């Protein structure tokens, strides 16, 4: 086993008791035979039930009504600039406190710069931006109120991951969330999604099969899941032709 599994325990502490006192982003591949990693993941998952998010099987692309709602509130014609992102956050996510808005604004700008550095053109950046904004108001909206607190919101993502999902996790981390990405079998999807970048501190376990007993986050009160309730969207609908040409995750 490589990596220090005890570092996962940082997510269980308030910022004031961490060194350094900042959010954490861990990338967990496999788990150890002693069960330490799974035990910590279960504790983190329990915290994710309250004002956080436990995500499995990816995030669904925003559907057309969500996109049209975004356009109605911020306008359809825009060129991404730092000033425009700040205005959109004010209009679209009005529940944010000023300090939260400033942090999220900076994080969004940094993620768009990463995309540009990967060779993304203006249209790709615009599509990704709309996707992120819809996720922030939709399936991940509940975490926003916890940004900036001494106990960061927890985001636990389990399974295969795509490029935009990985960038979104990085956006949440830079905005003030503790983020843990878990894949029990392989980091192949992460490597493809990262496109040469590095996201999260890696923790590797020697066991590379799904655990016999899943993490105890299933059916937890307040848990956010992209397939729950009105978030249940068929794969066919996810890939429907939208008025804005979204890239698949």
């Amino acid at each position: 086993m490589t990596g220090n599994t005890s570092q996962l325990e940082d997510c269980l502490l308030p910022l004031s008791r961490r060194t350094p006192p900042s959010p954490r982003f861990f990338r967990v591949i496999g788990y150890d035979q002693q069960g330490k990693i799974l035990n910590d993941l279960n504790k983190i998952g329990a915290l994710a039930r309250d004002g956080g998010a436990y995500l499995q099987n990816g995030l669904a692309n925003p559907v057309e009504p969500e996109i049209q709602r975004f356009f109605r509130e911020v306008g359809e014609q825009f060129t991404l600039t730092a000033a425009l992102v700040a205005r959109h956050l004010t209009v679209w996510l009005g529940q944010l406190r000023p300090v939260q808005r400033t942090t999220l604004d900076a994080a969004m700008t940094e993620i768009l710069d990463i995309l540009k550095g990967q060779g993304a053109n203006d249209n790709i950046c615009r599509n990704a931006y709309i996707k992120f904004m819809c996720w922030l108001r939709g399936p991940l909206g509940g975490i926003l109120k916890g940004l900036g607190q001494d106990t960061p919101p927890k985001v636990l993502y389990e399974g295969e991951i795509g490029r935009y999902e990985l960038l979104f996790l990085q956006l949440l981390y830079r905005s003030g969330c503790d983020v843990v990405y878990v894949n029990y079998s392989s980091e192949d999807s992460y490597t493809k999604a990262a496109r040469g970048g590095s996201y999260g501190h890696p923790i590797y376990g020697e066991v590379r099969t799904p655990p016999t007993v899943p993490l105890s986050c299933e059916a937890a009160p307040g848990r956010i899941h992209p397939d729950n309730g009105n978030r249940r969207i068929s794969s066919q609908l996810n890939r429907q032709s939208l008025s804005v040409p979204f890239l698949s995750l």
Side-chain angles (χ1 to χ4, degrees), residues 127-142:
N127 287 344
Y129 171 73
I130 297 169
K131 188 191 299 282
F132 296 157
M133 293 292 272
C134 287
W135 282 342
L136 284 170
R137 183 153 159 174
L140 275 295

Side-chain angles (χ1 to χ4, degrees), residues 51-183:
Y54 174 47
L55 302 169
Q56 292 175 299
N57 304 317
L59 277 162
N61 282 335
V63 292
E64 188 167 1
E66 293 174 299
I67 298 168
Q68 293 304 323
R69 181 184 180 188
F70 177 76
F71 286 154
R72 283 195 304 271
E73 297 197 21
V74 308
E76 293 191 23
Q77 304 300 322
F78 59 83
T79 301
L80 288 172
T81 63
L84 181 133
V85 171
R87 184 176 71 82
H88 281 185
L89 288 173
T90 300
V91 173
W92 182 243
L93 301 172
Q95 76 271 34
L96 292 173
R97 299 192 304 274
V99 65
Q100 294 174 324
R101 190 177 301 113
T102 298
T103 303
L104 187 56
D105 180 15
M108 183 71 77
T109 300
E110 290 166 357
I111 296 305
L112 293 175
D113 285 343
I114 290 175
L115 266 175
K116 293 174 185 176
Q118 293 175 346
N121 59 30
D122 290 345
N123 189 56
I124 291 175
C125 289
R126 185 174 185 268
N127 287 344
Y129 171 73
I130 297 169
K131 188 191 299 282
F132 296 157
M133 293 292 272
C134 287
W135 282 342
L136 284 170
R137 183 153 159 174
L140 275 295
I143 68 172
L144 297 179
K145 63 182 180 181
L147 297 179
Q149 296 183 2
D150 192 37
T151 301
K154 309 293 182 263
V155 179
L156 179 59
Y157 185 111
E158 183 181 341
E160 303 296 297
I161 196 165
R163 179 189 187 186
Y164 299 103
E165 294 164 310
L166 181 58
L167 286 172
F168 188 63
L169 291 186
Q170 182 73 4
L171 170 65
L172 295 173
Y173 162 63
R174 294 187 182 208
S175 299
C177 295
D178 284 330
V179 175
V180 180
Y181 165 64
V182 184
N183 190 309

Side-chain angles (χ1 to χ4, degrees), residues 213-234:
V213 179
L215 298 183
S216 59
C217 306
E218 198 69 36
R223 172 173 170 243
I224 301 172
H225 191 295
D227 294 332
N228 277 356
N230 59 9
R231 302 299 306 172
R232 184 173 287 111
I233 306 168
S234 70

